[in-house]
Amino acid sequence: KAFGYTREDLKVILKPMAQKASEPISSMGDDTPHAVLSAKPQLLYNYFRQLFAQVTNPAIDPIREEIVMSLETYLGPEENLLSETPQHCHKLRVKKPILTNEELEKIRHIRVNGFKTKTIPILFRATDGKDLKNSLDNLCAQVALAIKQGFAFVILSDRGINKDYCALPALLAVGTVHHYLVQQALRTRVGIIVESAEPRETHHFALLFGYGADCINPYLAYAAVEYLVQEKELTQDTSLALKNYRKAVEKGILKILSKMGI
């Protein structure tokens, strides 16, 4: 409830992804009203739409040109582009940016070659309406401090919500931190990882990456897939269902990259 999951999310989005390892098929003519006109509360992601040329040839084809496309990413501080030093290679290679819970914990507890990670909660007091803005300012200050303390990665986490604290929208938190660090000329000195219950469909992940996230761990989407297995909604075992879900998200992200141009 806290993250706005609906039966539709489980049945129409997560189930087909975990079953077939591909996005659910939907029509291109999307006639749902814009989120801004809706009377119901909406996730922040719903206020954003993809704009792409629907007639021209895509820039690249993620199915037929799979061999030249990759989601591999290198996490960590970046050095001056105009110089060439061994420090340029001092990065963590991540083969897939959608992290499993185990991969996230490995990064969270990393203590190798000077790499270290700080987890920063993205929560605010639910009782205080003004606390949202203060929490965003405080979040930016905490990330900047972590960089000064030499942390190579920060994990923005919305775990730990309760009756007093609710989560900042992950997209708002990531975008705010990213732009603040750009303004302070600090963005290249840290890798931003999002540990959030919010993202479950490809569009959510694409937006988070577009607004500054380097890697994402959708822990509640994984839990929801596990729940579907327990409820016998899925015939696969848990590990295969989770693998399929991840694969579906990755294929979807490649598809969006293709439509948007490289």
Side-chain angles (χ1 to χ4, degrees):
K1 276 186 180 176
F3 292 97
Y5 272 63
T6 61
R7 286 197 185 97
E8 191 180 66
D9 284 328
L10 294 175
K11 214 169 202 163
V12 181
I13 295 164
L14 291 169
K15 189 180 170 183
M17 289 170 91
Q19 219 162 23
K20 300 173 185 162
S22 61
E23 280 185 284
I25 292 171
S26 56
S27 67
M28 279 186 86
D30 180 4
D31 61 353
T32 52
H34 289 286
V36 73
L37 301 174
S38 174
K40 292 187 166 66
Q42 298 280 339
L43 285 172
L44 199 53
Y45 307 95
N46 296 348
Y47 291 86
F48 296 81
R49 292 289 177 102
Q50 286 176 43
L51 285 178
F52 58 94
Q54 296 190 352
V55 236
T56 59
N57 292 338
I60 192 166
D61 182 336
I63 299 165
R64 289 162 198 84
E65 298 178 274
E66 191 180 6
I67 198 165
V68 292
M69 291 188 78
S70 164
L71 292 175
E72 191 174 283
T73 183
Y74 290 87
L75 271 182
E78 291 175 28
E79 297 294 319
N80 182 357
L81 275 173
L82 304 175
S83 67
E84 204 173 322
T85 67
Q87 278 302 104
H88 280 65
C89 305
H90 188 62
K91 282 179 166 289
L92 184 65
R93 180 182 173 208
V94 180
K95 288 193 176 176
K96 294 174 178 177
I98 311 297
L99 301 174
T100 62
N101 295 339
E102 294 76 19
E103 287 166 346
L104 181 74
E105 292 310 314
K106 282 181 189 174
I107 295 175
R108 198 195 305 277
H109 297 103
I110 196 167
R111 291 290 181 275
V112 184
N113 294 339
F115 285 136
K116 52 182 183 170
T117 307
K118 181 159 191 178
T119 304
I120 300 173
I122 51 170
L123 304 173
F124 72 100
R125 278 198 304 280
T127 48
D128 184 0
K130 294 176 185 169
D131 198 47
L132 182 90
K133 174 80 172 69
N134 298 339
S135 298
L136 285 169
D137 294 340
N138 186 29
L139 177 63
C140 292
Q142 282 189 67
V143 175
L145 180 64
I147 293 169
K148 288 188 176 74
Q149 290 170 343
F151 287 94
F153 319 116
V154 293
I155 297 173
L156 305 181
S157 174
D158 60 21
R159 281 186 186 269
I161 61 161
N162 54 31
K163 65 181 186 351
D164 299 319
Y165 284 89
C166 58
L168 289 166
L171 190 60
L172 183 65
V174 169
T176 304
V177 167
H178 175 78
H179 284 287
Y180 172 80
L181 294 179
V182 168
Q183 285 163 6
Q184 302 295 317
L186 293 170
R187 181 62 188 93
T188 55
R189 289 179 51 191
V190 74
I192 297 176
I193 299 159
V194 179
E195 180 187 19
S196 175
E198 271 185 4
R200 50 249 200 202
E201 51 188 282
T202 313
H203 179 60
H204 301 171
F205 292 98
L207 274 169
L208 286 167
F209 287 129
Y211 279 89
D214 291 311
C215 288
I216 302 167
N217 167 251
Y219 65 88
L220 194 59
Y222 292 153
V225 170
E226 286 173 17
Y227 169 77
L228 289 172
V229 173
Q230 285 165 13
E231 294 291 301
K232 305 279 190 292
E233 291 274 339
L234 289 168
T235 50
Q236 290 91 337
D237 63 6
T238 307
S239 63
L240 180 60
L242 289 171
K243 190 178 173 185
N244 283 351
Y245 171 72
R246 250 179 113 192
K247 193 173 179 184
V249 174
E250 285 156 8
K251 276 160 74 174
I253 292 165
L254 287 169
K255 185 183 80 178
I256 290 170
L257 285 170
S258 307
K259 288 191 297 191
M260 307 295 271
I262 296 172

